[in-house]
Amino acid sequence: MMTPQTVLMCPPDHFEIAYVINPWMEGQFANTDAALARRQWDGLRAALERHAKVALEPPQRALPDIVFTANAGLVLGKKVIVSRFRSPERRGEEPHHRAFFADNGFEILDWPSDIPFEGAGDALFDRGQSLLWAGHGFRSAAAVPALLEKLLGRKTAALNLVDPRFYHLDTCLCPLDGGYLLYFPPAFEERSRALIESLVAPSKRIAVEEEDALKFCCNAVDLDGHVFVNGASDSLRSRLRGAGFTPVITPLSEFMKAGGAAKCLTLKLVEE
Ligand code: ARG
């Protein structure tokens, strides 16, 4: 029996657009509908609760992006690397995440304070092989993949992100059960794309079109053969079904304005 999954989320009590640190946030200052954001977040939570436990981190005033718990840190077993945010706007989240992990029995690994690393937003475990995909280029520093490999003792593939709209790895790549990989190839530098192709067989690659990528279809939560996304075209849905997955659409327009969707709003606390 596999350990049941627990997903960390943080209620959007103080969610808003108060600054701009990615292209999605431009022109969105104070432009979110709080009631709609709450309904969408509740909808995602309810959908996930059919397949996993949901743990909650308390929301914090003046830290609107703390809802994006994918960026709290990177968990492996009972160890965690707590994020070191690139932007000062999000650094205030760090002590809250640290407290959450300490209170919940995680061993916090040392991480150098001068190396930005944005947790599971930029580091994703493959679901078919023992491999960690690590993104860098916009948020996490170039030194991050090698450091993760050393600290966690897990083979790590470094992927250089080149499109500012896909600034975190989890906005353009999602490992799925059975070794499938949902991804948007143009978000990666040529050599990184070649690395992906060398590590994942063609039959396991689900490359998406820009139209789907812009709906953050790669920002997916995979649980129990279900793939929870903000949006996906009919053709992508049928490709997912063809690979044995059940796509579930949970609209997250308010969070898209901040540059985040389903995966960003969650962090799996069980990673073996
Ligand atoms: N506004 C947030 C930021 O720019 C969104 C974070 C989205 N999180 C993610 N894991 N992609 O940092």
Side-chain angles (χ1 to χ4, degrees):
M1 241 318 261
M2 270 173 59
T3 326
Q5 188 53 262
T6 299
V7 173
L8 178 65
M9 295 182 73
C10 174
D13 299 23
H14 306 294
F15 174 68
E16 59 173 346
I17 312 293
Y19 48 77
V20 176
I21 55 171
N22 69 53
W24 300 84
M25 300 173 99
E26 271 159 35
Q28 300 289 6
F29 186 79
N31 191 35
T32 49
D33 175 335
L36 180 56
R38 166 64 68 167
R39 282 200 299 281
Q40 294 179 337
W41 186 92
D42 285 343
L44 176 64
R45 175 183 177 172
L48 299 181
E49 271 178 336
R50 289 196 268 277
H51 304 273
K53 269 207 288 195
V54 170
L56 295 180
E57 226 188 325
Q60 303 293 335
R61 212 173 285 281
L63 291 173
D65 277 337
I66 200 168
V67 293
F68 298 112
T69 51
N71 301 123
L74 178 66
V75 168
L76 182 58
K78 268 310 198 186
K79 297 186 171 147
V80 65
I81 298 168
V82 178
S83 288
R84 175 64 179 159
F85 287 94
R86 180 172 290 273
S87 44
E89 289 87 344
R90 294 199 66 182
R91 290 225 177 113
E93 296 177 31
E94 293 170 13
H96 299 290
H97 296 316
R98 195 167 273 281
F100 172 84
F101 289 118
D103 292 349
N104 285 276
F106 286 89
E107 177 197 345
I108 297 176
L109 302 183
D110 285 334
W111 185 266
S113 64
D114 58 344
I115 299 188
F117 169 55
E118 300 200 353
D122 268 334
L124 302 167
F125 292 104
D126 195 84
R127 303 297 179 202
Q129 51 184 319
S130 178
L131 175 71
L132 179 61
W133 299 99
H136 64 91
F138 292 105
R139 299 297 182 82
S140 297
V144 164
L147 202 49
L148 290 175
E149 180 163 288
K150 195 169 127 205
L151 268 177
L152 301 175
R154 178 74 54 106
K155 178 179 155 196
T156 301
L159 300 178
N160 191 8
L161 302 170
V162 293
D163 183 332
R165 297 170 302 174
F166 303 100
Y167 57 94
H168 275 144
L169 182 63
D170 70 358
T171 64
C172 51
L173 181 139
C174 179
L176 297 174
D177 278 347
Y180 284 94
L181 193 72
L182 184 63
Y183 74 120
F184 179 52
F188 299 91
E189 188 234 356
E190 194 54 52
R191 274 179 306 173
S192 301
R193 221 180 298 172
L195 179 62
I196 294 173
E197 289 165 8
S198 74
L199 290 167
V200 182
S203 62
K204 298 282 181 175
R205 291 180 220 145
I206 308 177
V208 306
E209 300 294 330
E210 183 167 29
E211 182 206 342
D212 275 314
L214 289 172
K215 291 180 188 146
F216 267 14
C217 70
C218 298
N219 198 248
V221 182
D222 61 307
L223 274 178
D224 252 358
H226 292 68
V227 178
F228 300 88
V229 283
N230 165 68
S233 61
D234 290 344
S235 87
L236 177 58
R237 288 187 219 189
S238 63
R239 283 168 75 200
L240 285 168
R241 282 194 205 97
F245 299 100
T246 305
V248 182
I249 308 297
T250 61
L252 294 161
S253 62
E254 299 315 288
F255 300 96
M256 292 287 292
K257 295 174 183 171
K263 161 64 169 53
C264 302
L265 291 167
T266 63
L267 178 69
K268 285 183 179 169
L269 294 178
V270 180
E271 290 284 6
E272 303 304 336

